[in-house]
Each structure stands twice: as structure tokens, then as C-alpha cells.
Amino acid sequence: MQEAPVDHSGLSQAPGPGPGAAALRTDAGAGAWSPPLALVLPVILALLLLPLILVEMPPLLDYPNHLARVDVLLHYRSDPFLADHYTASLTPVPNLLMEAVMLPLASVLPLYVAGRVYMALAGLLTLFGAMLLNRTLFGRWSLWPLCGALFIYNATLIGGFMSFSLGLGFLLVGLSLWIALAGRRWQVPVGMGCALFLYFAHAIVLGSFLLCLFAVEAVKYVGKGRKPLTLANFGRDALRFAALLALPAALFAGTVGTHLLQSDAAAVGARDSTPVLLLKEVYWRLKKLTELKQWRYRLHDMLAPVLNYNTLLDVATLLLILGGMVAARLAGWLRAAPAMMLAVGLFVLAFFVVPDPFFGTYFVSIRFWILAAFLLVAGTDIRFPSARAAAAFAAGLLALLTVRTGVLTLNWLAYEDDVADLRRAMERIEPGRSVLIAWAGQEAGCCNTREFLLTQPPWRHALVALPSLIHLPSLITVERRAFVPTLFSHPGKQPLTVTQPYRDRCMAIYEGVPVDVRLLSRPGEATLRDHVEPCPHYIGWRDKYDYVLVMFSNVFHAAGLQPPPGAQEVYRGTVFDLWRVER
């Protein structure tokens, strides 16, 4: 007879053989894939892939900038223009997962195809990771974790946070391995390998992985059959965590930590480098949490796991999932793994406490809420009382996912008009030129303000409160081999840097943020809120740049504004204008 898989859902004691072990056994054969799962999963995968098949350039906030950086890294050695302007950075930054995957992919596939393959890998691996973690915890493949499909197109993916999005899938797989290897000698070496890999994937992913492992180990000290809380046990667990963290911590502290601290210090206006700077930064960030508006943002960000393009649909999706879990619990169908519930609680706490931005990284808190959502689904198990109940759940899940996919796809398709508008503007740019990126200023009801959001169609801004077009001009580097100052190239954060002769043309802190167009004629009006004070790359723009690309020109013209002296309009589009700089 086939041995049944081990159930790790208790995790109040190390699972495995021996007296008092908390591991529970499921019925023989329960690990086999049930027919409903085998039928539903292919349909879910097809729905998740559909938007990536239909849309060449998905409107994901940071995504075009990441694509351009990969393209430069791929070709800068063979392209004289790129070699003159860029060089690869060998610093082991904790943000290299996209390069590690995309550089091989883009070597054999067209860049835009490789980018969509990468996003497909991110989504499918995350869903598989949630299913695998659920299987590891409860000893059987289940329909329930397929709810994770509703979280795949979340705020971080729509935000184009590419390394984090794929790293999330690896985190779930690594957590499954740690739990499955509990009590075995390979657990710590495998955990060390996972921690080092996740460091290079993304620093937040690594920190989240360690937080999950802390929850897994902590629950072993509570409940029936708990592990004795002795100095020896505590010291042994502390040494295990130290082994996991030692190499990543050394890499971070020795190479990246200083860069990020200095970046964040400049971003909040700090002017000194005293030993207490770190404490000052933490105090400043936490003080901001006392403001009511910060909590209003936090409440809105709770939709991050299901953030799509229709708030009513997003709220309904979240309520259906949570309501279904409550109903299943009341009916006695739902079990929960204590370790995962503790991890969920820790991520919820981090969501409310960790500031945004935090040491050079933006939209930090929403990542914790998304992690909590995936762990909530993967860390619970619903045993449906009948095949009819399972079929009803599957049908409802597919219906909801179909509606959400349709809404997302229609919005993505509408975005293609703006991509075409940019390409018409780019056709006027000769290769080997420098292009300043600007956008309509506050006087035109634009820039990163509430007025901007009210003046744009809903599909023209990513639902992380920044325009989805903001990084699209990075494609000028890809398609016209021209220099743009907004390309991700921050030392200590990116594996790409701008060569010294052109450092005064790149953004030092706020990567990717265009300059307010009003500053081209009135630079003295710059303020910290304009996101340009720490990096005045626009000063002397007539001598540095050959062209100015203006974003959201529809708002610019609606306000009756004209190009500043020294700029001649050569293309007027629906969203983009192109000006030639006259010398």
C-alpha cells in the first residue's frame, strides 16, 4: 500500500517520526490529484496567460524601464553608443532576479516576447508555490489554493516590480522546502541556499522569507506537545537563523546598505552623515504614521492583492474570499496551519508599521499585504463535503477569474493606443541622441497629484497611484538607441550605471520620474515635492539634450501652455509631444 503523505499543518512540534510528533496523516491516496483539480487548473492557467498573449506591452508601471535596462546590459558591449553611456555594475545588489532570467531569455527571444514570458513565469510560479506550500502543510493537492490565481495580477505586478513578483514564487517554494525538510540534516544547508538566492532576487523577498521561517519555528514552542523553551533549544535555533542570514547580511552591509541609506537620506532632505542618521530616518518615517492621511492610504492599500482596474470588483473579490473562509470555518470545513497564521499576522503588522518609501524602495507596505494574502490561502485547507460542493466552488472561482481577466485585458488593450502614440513620436528621434523626459506640470493639473488622476481616463494610470505611462519613454533607448535620463541606473540599487561624462544627465535619486515641464523655463521654482531637487539633471537642458519628450501633452495643451524658448515642436500626439532643442 502507498504510504500517505505527512501533514505538517500542526507545526507545533517538528513533524516526523517519534513520540509526541504533531504530524497528522491523511487518508491513503489523498495526495493524488483529484479530477476537479485536473480539469480546473488548465483553464485557470489559460486565463492567467491570456492578457500576456494579447498585449505586446502590458501597462505595468516599472516594466518598460526594466526592459530597457536588460536591453542595455545585453548589448552595451557591442553597441558603441551604449558602451559610451552605460556600464555594468558588478555590485551584488539584492535586485538581480530579472537580469538572471531575462538576459538568457532575451538572447534567444525578441525582447518584448521575453518580457512577457518572464511575467508568465512569475505568475505561474507564484500560483504553483501557493499550491505546493498548501500540499506540504496538509498532505494533499487541493482546489482551495487555486484562489491564489485571483491574486496573481496584484498591485506589485501592475506596478511592474519584476524581481519581487518572480521572487515571491521562489519564496513560497523555499518555504515549502524548509517545512518538508524539518528535522533532517539538509534543512539548514537548503535554507542557506534559498536565503542566498532570495537575496539576489530581492531584499524584501529575503526579509519576508526569514519572517516566515521565524513563524514556522516559533509555533513549535507553543501548544500541545510543544518544544521545551530551553536555553539550548533557543540557542540552537538562533544559530540556525544566523547561518541563514550570515552571507546575505555581509553582502548587503558591505556593498549596498550605505548606498541605500544615503539615497533615502537625500530623498527626505537630510544633509548630514552622522552616526545617528539611521535612527533619525526611522524616527522621521514612524512619525509620519501618526498622520491621518497615512492610515487612509494604508486602508486603500488593503486592496493590493486584488488590485485591478475596477474598485467595486476588487472589493467584491476580497469579500468573497474572506467571506467564504469564514463560512467554511463555521461549517467545520476549514483547517489552518498555526505557523502560517502567525506569519500572516506578522505581515499585517508590518503592513501598518513599515513606512513608504523605506530606504530607497517604494511601495514597501503593499508587498506585505500581498504576502499575507498568499499565505492565508496557502496556509488553510478546505475539505468540501461533497463533489457537488467542490464543483460549485470551482465554477464560482472560474467565473470570477474570467470577469477579472476580461476587465484587465480590456484595459490593457486600450493602453496600446498610447504605446502607438509614443512610437510615432520616437520615429522623429535620430539614433544616438539625448532625450529629456518631461510631463505637464502642476499648473496644468498634472504631475503626481489628485488633479492629474481626475483628468485622465481610468486605464491611463496604474492603481498604485502613479501614471502607468511614466516609464514608457524608456523604450526610446531600446528602439532608437538614444539616451534618456530616467533609465534605472542608480549605483547600489541597479546592475547598470551611467558613465562619468553623462552623470549630470541622469537622475540620482528619483529614478524614472520625469521633470515637471514648467521647470524648463523656471528652474528656480523647483521644490522637494517636484521630485527633482536632489537630482537637477534638467538644469542647462538646452546644452545637454537634443529633444524633449512631453508626457500627458493633452493636459498641457488643454491648459493653453506653449513650449519654452529653445524648444520647437516636431510632433503633437494625443498623449506625447516631441520638441527639438534649438541651439
Side-chain angles (χ1 to χ4, degrees):
M1 178 181 295
Q2 180 183 4
E3 184 181 3
V6 176
D7 184 330
H8 295 283
S9 59
L11 287 179
S12 58
Q13 196 174 46
L24 304 175
R25 298 278 179 172
T26 59
D27 296 334
W33 286 41
S34 60
L37 182 60
L39 293 174
V40 173
L41 184 58
V43 180
I44 287 179
L45 298 183
L47 288 171
L48 292 177
L49 294 176
L50 182 63
L52 299 176
I53 294 172
L54 295 179
V55 180
E56 180 194 37
M57 182 57 59
L60 312 180
L61 183 62
D62 287 357
Y63 173 65
N65 209 319
H66 288 304
L67 277 186
R69 189 183 70 238
V70 168
D71 186 67
V72 171
L73 288 170
L74 196 63
H75 296 108
Y76 83 98
R77 294 182 185 276
S78 58
D79 187 294
F81 175 82
L82 295 180
D84 186 42
H85 287 75
Y86 300 101
T87 184
S89 171
L90 299 179
T91 303
V93 296
N95 188 21
L96 294 176
L97 185 55
M98 184 172 188
E99 277 70 25
V101 176
M102 274 292 292
L103 288 176
L105 280 177
S107 298
V108 297
L109 295 173
L111 180 68
Y112 298 153
V113 175
R116 286 179 287 160
V117 170
Y118 178 94
M119 282 187 284
L121 290 174
L124 299 186
L125 180 63
T126 301
L127 181 60
F128 170 74
M131 295 175 64
L132 180 64
L133 179 56
N134 184 271
R135 167 70 172 80
T136 303
L137 289 167
F138 299 103
R140 67 189 186 102
W141 297 106
S142 170
L143 279 172
W144 169 245
L146 292 179
C147 277
L150 299 171
F151 302 149
I152 296 300
Y153 288 102
N154 54 59
T156 55
L157 188 61
I158 290 178
F161 307 154
M162 306 312 296
S163 289
F164 177 85
S165 296
L166 182 55
L168 176 57
F170 282 111
L171 182 155
L172 295 171
V173 173
L175 181 57
S176 301
L177 290 174
W178 179 267
I179 295 171
L181 294 173
R184 300 174 182 172
R185 63 182 180 180
W186 288 105
Q187 186 187 40
V188 172
V190 170
M192 292 175 64
C194 289
L196 183 60
F197 179 86
L198 294 178
Y199 167 83
F200 287 108
H202 201 283
I204 295 177
V205 175
L206 171 62
S208 302
F209 176 67
L210 295 174
L211 195 65
C212 291
L213 298 194
F214 169 79
V216 169
E217 299 304 313
V219 298
K220 296 179 181 179
Y221 289 97
V222 297
K224 186 178 180 180
R226 65 181 178 271
K227 186 177 180 179
L229 184 57
T230 64
L231 185 60
N233 284 337
F234 182 80
R236 190 179 300 112
D237 287 341
L239 287 175
R240 279 152 44 97
F241 268 86
L244 295 177
L245 192 56
L247 189 53
L251 289 171
F252 186 88
T255 59
V256 185
T258 302
H259 284 291
L260 292 185
L261 181 59
Q262 291 174 348
S263 296
D264 205 44
V268 297
R271 301 302 182 189
D272 61 77
S273 55
T274 63
V276 297
L277 179 58
L278 174 61
L279 295 178
K280 289 167 60 179
E281 290 301 311
V282 173
Y283 169 77
W284 187 88
R285 297 293 187 194
L286 295 180
K287 183 176 181 295
K288 297 295 288 183
L289 290 177
T290 62
E291 299 180 8
L292 179 61
K293 65 179 183 179
Q294 298 293 327
W295 290 90
R296 185 175 69 248
Y297 294 150
R298 289 292 192 269
L299 294 174
H300 175 267
D301 287 346
M302 288 182 184
L303 291 176
V306 291
L307 206 58
N308 201 305
Y309 294 88
N310 186 297
T311 302
L312 181 61
L313 179 60
D314 299 339
V315 172
T317 300
L318 202 57
L319 291 178
L320 282 172
I321 295 172
L322 296 177
M325 294 183 68
V326 171
R329 181 67 174 177
L330 294 176
W333 302 346
L334 183 142
R335 296 184 299 164
M340 296 301 101
M341 298 306 100
L342 174 59
V344 168
L346 292 174
F347 281 124
V348 170
L349 178 64
F351 169 79
F352 283 102
V353 172
V354 176
D356 274 325
F358 192 60
F359 298 109
T361 300
Y362 295 85
F363 305 111
V364 174
S365 62
I366 61 173
R367 309 182 199 219
F368 297 131
W369 200 253
I370 291 167
L371 283 159
F374 276 107
L375 290 180
L376 186 65
V377 169
T380 53
D381 180 47
I382 292 182
R383 290 181 177 269
F384 298 101
S386 65
R388 180 174 297 178
F393 167 79
L397 174 61
L398 290 178
L400 182 57
L401 185 61
T402 299
V403 172
R404 290 180 59 82
T405 301
V407 170
L408 181 136
T409 303
L410 289 175
N411 281 275
W412 283 19
L413 289 171
Y415 173 81
E416 290 189 320
D417 291 339
D418 292 341
V419 177
D421 188 38
L422 173 65
R423 286 196 165 121
R424 287 190 293 269
M426 286 194 296
E427 290 174 357
R428 276 78 172 176
I429 300 174
E430 299 92 349
R433 302 297 182 177
S434 293
V435 184
L436 178 64
I437 311 300
W439 61 359
Q442 292 174 340
E443 63 189 24
C446 193
C447 204
N448 185 19
T449 63
R450 176 178 174 83
E451 288 76 16
F452 163 75
L453 298 177
L454 293 176
T455 59
Q456 298 298 303
W459 47 267
R460 275 196 179 140
H461 60 85
L463 297 183
V464 286
L466 279 174
S468 60
L469 296 179
I470 188 173
H471 291 285
L472 194 62
S474 302
L475 299 183
I476 295 173
T477 301
V478 176
E479 300 192 12
R480 304 304 296 169
R481 284 294 181 261
F483 177 85
V484 295
T486 53
L487 193 66
F488 287 155
S489 57
H490 191 292
K493 289 179 62 178
Q494 310 291 347
L496 183 73
T497 57
V498 176
T499 56
Q500 190 61 45
Y502 304 99
R503 289 284 175 87
D504 65 338
R505 301 184 189 182
C506 67
M507 304 191 70
I509 302 296
Y510 293 100
E511 300 170 291
V513 179
V515 63
D516 186 332
V517 72
R518 67 189 169 92
L519 299 179
L520 300 186
S521 56
R522 302 193 297 275
E525 296 184 8
T527 65
L528 186 59
R529 188 184 178 198
D530 291 313
H531 288 185
V532 293
E533 186 189 16
C535 41
H537 62 287
Y538 61 93
I539 294 177
W541 58 275
R542 294 177 183 86
D543 299 322
K544 295 177 181 177
Y545 301 98
D546 303 296
Y547 292 93
V548 177
L549 182 78
V550 182
M551 305 173 62
F552 313 114
S553 56
N554 53 335
V555 181
F556 180 82
H557 294 298
L561 302 179
Q562 298 295 324
Q568 176 66 41
E569 181 182 290
V570 295
Y571 172 78
R572 177 179 293 195
T574 56
V575 180
F576 294 99
D577 279 7
L578 183 68
W579 302 338
R580 179 183 290 110
V581 177
E582 298 178 334
R583 296 187 176 91

